[in-house]
Amino acid sequence: VQRSAVDQARRVAAEQERIVDGVRNVLSTLIVLKSVRMQESARCNGLFAAILPTFEGFESLVATRADGTPVCAAHANDSNASGTAPSVGDRPFFKEATKERALAVGGYARAFGSGVPVMHIAVPYFDYGNHLRGVVYVGYSLNTLAKHLSQSQQVKGETLSVVDRNGILLVRQPGGNN
């Protein structure tokens, strides 16, 4: 039983790492684009709206200024909210990304506009002088995360729970997702 639990934990950790690495790759590409780096809202909004639907699990895609106010945004299930987003300057994922100057993964949240359960994955971006300009982040669907984890060879009779750093349940398999 113990070996089975350890094996399952390793499979889940590897799948989560694969997902976060994929999101990191997308965000790392976006932060070098001129429209993002120079905070050109109109061009950035158009770009984000065009690419958001091509990535499974992306509920929102937002670029902010260094204080957390949005520069541009796109949302999967709410076309009326595209181009808008709330300030995230007080959110732990934003603070971590800007303080550590590195990728940050947030805990349980609800996507702006749609209310879909998400976790935020963020990377900071900098101007050409290496001064912090802001953060680009994704609201990644916890339903999509649950779907991917359910495909990871779960042993019959086992229950899988994934919690965030605050102890909030993100995924429960089988059933009970969000």
Side-chain angles (χ1 to χ4, degrees), residues 21 24 28 44-45 59 62-63 79 82 87 111 118 135 148 155 158 166:
D21 282 345
R24 176 198 332 250
S28 294
C44 183
N45 279 329
E59 287 297 319
V62 180
S79 60
S82 287
S87 178
V118 297
V135 164
H148 285 285
V155 176
E158 286 184 346
N166 298 314

PDB file of all heavy atoms in Angstrom, residues 21 24 28 44-45 59 62-63 79 82 87 111 118 135 148 155 158 166:
ATOM      1  N   ASP A  21       5.492  23.223 -16.576  1.00  0.00           N
ATOM      2  CA  ASP A  21       6.567  23.500 -17.533  1.00  0.00           C
ATOM      3  C   ASP A  21       6.014  23.951 -18.882  1.00  0.00           C
ATOM      4  O   ASP A  21       6.573  24.847 -19.524  1.00  0.00           O
ATOM      5  CB  ASP A  21       7.474  22.281 -17.725  1.00  0.00           C
ATOM      6  CG  ASP A  21       8.464  22.098 -16.594  1.00  0.00           C
ATOM      7  OD1 ASP A  21       8.660  23.043 -15.797  1.00  0.00           O
ATOM      8  OD2 ASP A  21       9.054  21.004 -16.513  1.00  0.00           O
ATOM      9  N   ARG A  24       4.916  27.477 -18.405  1.00  0.00           N
ATOM     10  CA  ARG A  24       6.121  28.315 -18.305  1.00  0.00           C
ATOM     11  C   ARG A  24       6.694  28.598 -19.694  1.00  0.00           C
ATOM     12  O   ARG A  24       7.107  29.721 -19.985  1.00  0.00           O
ATOM     13  CB  ARG A  24       7.186  27.643 -17.451  1.00  0.00           C
ATOM     14  CG  ARG A  24       8.493  28.439 -17.388  1.00  0.00           C
ATOM     15  CD  ARG A  24       9.717  27.654 -16.932  1.00  0.00           C
ATOM     16  NE  ARG A  24       9.451  26.552 -16.062  1.00  0.00           N
ATOM     17  CZ  ARG A  24       9.767  26.515 -14.774  1.00  0.00           C
ATOM     18  NH1 ARG A  24      10.354  27.539 -14.213  1.00  0.00           N
ATOM     19  NH2 ARG A  24       9.520  25.437 -14.067  1.00  0.00           N
ATOM     20  N   SER A  28       7.120  32.253 -21.087  1.00  0.00           N
ATOM     21  CA  SER A  28       8.484  32.693 -21.398  1.00  0.00           C
ATOM     22  C   SER A  28       8.594  33.228 -22.815  1.00  0.00           C
ATOM     23  O   SER A  28       9.407  34.118 -23.092  1.00  0.00           O
ATOM     24  CB  SER A  28       9.476  31.546 -21.192  1.00  0.00           C
ATOM     25  OG  SER A  28       9.529  31.200 -19.827  1.00  0.00           O
ATOM     26  N   CYS A  44      -1.290  43.959 -27.527  1.00  0.00           N
ATOM     27  CA  CYS A  44      -1.204  42.843 -26.582  1.00  0.00           C
ATOM     28  C   CYS A  44      -2.579  42.181 -26.395  1.00  0.00           C
ATOM     29  O   CYS A  44      -2.689  40.961 -26.392  1.00  0.00           O
ATOM     30  CB  CYS A  44      -0.654  43.358 -25.260  1.00  0.00           C
ATOM     31  SG  CYS A  44      -0.396  42.108 -24.000  1.00  0.00           S
ATOM     32  N   ASN A  45      -3.638  42.979 -26.267  1.00  0.00           N
ATOM     33  CA  ASN A  45      -4.992  42.422 -26.132  1.00  0.00           C
ATOM     34  C   ASN A  45      -5.340  41.550 -27.330  1.00  0.00           C
ATOM     35  O   ASN A  45      -5.883  40.455 -27.180  1.00  0.00           O
ATOM     36  CB  ASN A  45      -6.037  43.539 -26.002  1.00  0.00           C
ATOM     37  CG  ASN A  45      -6.126  44.088 -24.604  1.00  0.00           C
ATOM     38  OD1 ASN A  45      -5.912  43.392 -23.629  1.00  0.00           O
ATOM     39  ND2 ASN A  45      -6.445  45.368 -24.516  1.00  0.00           N
ATOM     40  N   GLU A  59      -7.780  29.614 -18.893  1.00  0.00           N
ATOM     41  CA  GLU A  59      -9.032  30.346 -18.692  1.00  0.00           C
ATOM     42  C   GLU A  59      -8.815  31.841 -18.857  1.00  0.00           C
ATOM     43  O   GLU A  59      -9.723  32.567 -19.238  1.00  0.00           O
ATOM     44  CB  GLU A  59      -9.620  30.060 -17.312  1.00  0.00           C
ATOM     45  CG  GLU A  59     -10.217  28.686 -17.188  1.00  0.00           C
ATOM     46  CD  GLU A  59     -11.396  28.476 -18.128  1.00  0.00           C
ATOM     47  OE1 GLU A  59     -12.229  29.392 -18.277  1.00  0.00           O
ATOM     48  OE2 GLU A  59     -11.496  27.391 -18.714  1.00  0.00           O
ATOM     49  N   VAL A  62      -3.114  37.184 -18.812  1.00  0.00           N
ATOM     50  CA  VAL A  62      -3.060  38.596 -18.423  1.00  0.00           C
ATOM     51  C   VAL A  62      -1.616  39.051 -18.301  1.00  0.00           C
ATOM     52  O   VAL A  62      -0.772  38.322 -17.782  1.00  0.00           O
ATOM     53  CB  VAL A  62      -3.779  38.814 -17.070  1.00  0.00           C
ATOM     54  CG1 VAL A  62      -3.735  40.278 -16.648  1.00  0.00           C
ATOM     55  CG2 VAL A  62      -5.213  38.303 -17.111  1.00  0.00           C
ATOM     56  N   ALA A  63      -1.352  40.269 -18.757  1.00  0.00           N
ATOM     57  CA  ALA A  63      -0.078  40.942 -18.507  1.00  0.00           C
ATOM     58  C   ALA A  63      -0.369  42.133 -17.606  1.00  0.00           C
ATOM     59  O   ALA A  63      -1.358  42.846 -17.811  1.00  0.00           O
ATOM     60  CB  ALA A  63       0.566  41.406 -19.811  1.00  0.00           C
ATOM     61  N   SER A  79     -16.153  36.883 -23.339  1.00  0.00           N
ATOM     62  CA  SER A  79     -15.626  37.817 -24.339  1.00  0.00           C
ATOM     63  C   SER A  79     -15.855  39.266 -23.923  1.00  0.00           C
ATOM     64  O   SER A  79     -15.136  40.160 -24.339  1.00  0.00           O
ATOM     65  CB  SER A  79     -16.234  37.555 -25.707  1.00  0.00           C
ATOM     66  OG  SER A  79     -17.632  37.709 -25.652  1.00  0.00           O
ATOM     67  N   SER A  82     -12.733  40.581 -22.030  1.00  0.00           N
ATOM     68  CA  SER A  82     -11.431  40.643 -22.686  1.00  0.00           C
ATOM     69  C   SER A  82     -10.902  42.065 -22.661  1.00  0.00           C
ATOM     70  O   SER A  82     -11.631  43.027 -22.861  1.00  0.00           O
ATOM     71  CB  SER A  82     -11.522  40.131 -24.118  1.00  0.00           C
ATOM     72  OG  SER A  82     -11.675  38.728 -24.092  1.00  0.00           O
ATOM     73  N   SER A  87      -6.782  44.223 -10.637  1.00  0.00           N
ATOM     74  CA  SER A  87      -5.397  44.358 -10.191  1.00  0.00           C
ATOM     75  C   SER A  87      -5.050  43.156  -9.315  1.00  0.00           C
ATOM     76  O   SER A  87      -5.877  42.675  -8.542  1.00  0.00           O
ATOM     77  CB  SER A  87      -5.214  45.638  -9.379  1.00  0.00           C
ATOM     78  OG  SER A  87      -3.882  45.729  -8.917  1.00  0.00           O
ATOM     79  N   ALA A 111     -11.511  32.263 -11.868  1.00  0.00           N
ATOM     80  CA  ALA A 111     -11.156  33.073 -13.033  1.00  0.00           C
ATOM     81  C   ALA A 111     -12.062  34.293 -13.115  1.00  0.00           C
ATOM     82  O   ALA A 111     -13.279  34.192 -12.917  1.00  0.00           O
ATOM     83  CB  ALA A 111     -11.260  32.247 -14.307  1.00  0.00           C
ATOM     84  N   VAL A 118      -9.472  27.996 -10.852  1.00  0.00           N
ATOM     85  CA  VAL A 118      -8.162  28.022 -11.492  1.00  0.00           C
ATOM     86  C   VAL A 118      -7.052  28.082 -10.447  1.00  0.00           C
ATOM     87  O   VAL A 118      -7.293  28.345  -9.268  1.00  0.00           O
ATOM     88  CB  VAL A 118      -7.997  29.254 -12.431  1.00  0.00           C
ATOM     89  CG1 VAL A 118      -8.981  29.212 -13.581  1.00  0.00           C
ATOM     90  CG2 VAL A 118      -8.097  30.568 -11.663  1.00  0.00           C
ATOM     91  N   VAL A 135       4.159  41.321 -14.702  1.00  0.00           N
ATOM     92  CA  VAL A 135       4.011  39.870 -14.662  1.00  0.00           C
ATOM     93  C   VAL A 135       3.035  39.461 -15.763  1.00  0.00           C
ATOM     94  O   VAL A 135       2.069  40.180 -16.035  1.00  0.00           O
ATOM     95  CB  VAL A 135       3.472  39.429 -13.276  1.00  0.00           C
ATOM     96  CG1 VAL A 135       2.937  38.013 -13.288  1.00  0.00           C
ATOM     97  CG2 VAL A 135       4.549  39.571 -12.213  1.00  0.00           C
ATOM     98  N   HIS A 148      -6.361  15.741 -16.616  1.00  0.00           N
ATOM     99  CA  HIS A 148      -5.036  15.184 -16.899  1.00  0.00           C
ATOM    100  C   HIS A 148      -4.585  14.219 -15.801  1.00  0.00           C
ATOM    101  O   HIS A 148      -4.001  13.179 -16.099  1.00  0.00           O
ATOM    102  CB  HIS A 148      -4.003  16.297 -17.076  1.00  0.00           C
ATOM    103  CG  HIS A 148      -4.136  17.004 -18.379  1.00  0.00           C
ATOM    104  ND1 HIS A 148      -3.727  16.457 -19.575  1.00  0.00           N
ATOM    105  CD2 HIS A 148      -4.661  18.219 -18.681  1.00  0.00           C
ATOM    106  CE1 HIS A 148      -3.985  17.305 -20.549  1.00  0.00           C
ATOM    107  NE2 HIS A 148      -4.559  18.377 -20.036  1.00  0.00           N
ATOM    108  N   VAL A 155      -4.719   3.632  -9.523  1.00  0.00           N
ATOM    109  CA  VAL A 155      -5.056   2.281  -9.095  1.00  0.00           C
ATOM    110  C   VAL A 155      -6.483   2.279  -8.551  1.00  0.00           C
ATOM    111  O   VAL A 155      -6.878   3.175  -7.802  1.00  0.00           O
ATOM    112  CB  VAL A 155      -4.066   1.789  -8.013  1.00  0.00           C
ATOM    113  CG1 VAL A 155      -4.470   0.419  -7.497  1.00  0.00           C
ATOM    114  CG2 VAL A 155      -2.648   1.771  -8.572  1.00  0.00           C
ATOM    115  N   GLU A 158      -8.084   3.691  -5.057  1.00  0.00           N
ATOM    116  CA  GLU A 158      -7.298   4.784  -4.487  1.00  0.00           C
ATOM    117  C   GLU A 158      -8.019   6.100  -4.690  1.00  0.00           C
ATOM    118  O   GLU A 158      -8.753   6.282  -5.655  1.00  0.00           O
ATOM    119  CB  GLU A 158      -5.922   4.885  -5.159  1.00  0.00           C
ATOM    120  CG  GLU A 158      -4.967   3.809  -4.758  1.00  0.00           C
ATOM    121  CD  GLU A 158      -3.579   4.020  -5.377  1.00  0.00           C
ATOM    122  OE1 GLU A 158      -3.439   4.837  -6.307  1.00  0.00           O
ATOM    123  OE2 GLU A 158      -2.654   3.363  -4.915  1.00  0.00           O
ATOM    124  N   ASN A 166      -2.136  26.375   1.039  1.00  0.00           N
ATOM    125  CA  ASN A 166      -3.014  26.795   2.135  1.00  0.00           C
ATOM    126  C   ASN A 166      -3.934  25.673   2.595  1.00  0.00           C
ATOM    127  O   ASN A 166      -4.815  25.895   3.413  1.00  0.00           O
ATOM    128  CB  ASN A 166      -3.850  28.007   1.694  1.00  0.00           C
ATOM    129  CG  ASN A 166      -2.978  29.194   1.367  1.00  0.00           C
ATOM    130  OD1 ASN A 166      -2.062  29.527   2.112  1.00  0.00           O
ATOM    131  ND2 ASN A 166      -3.235  29.817   0.233  1.00  0.00           N
TER     132      ASN A 166
END
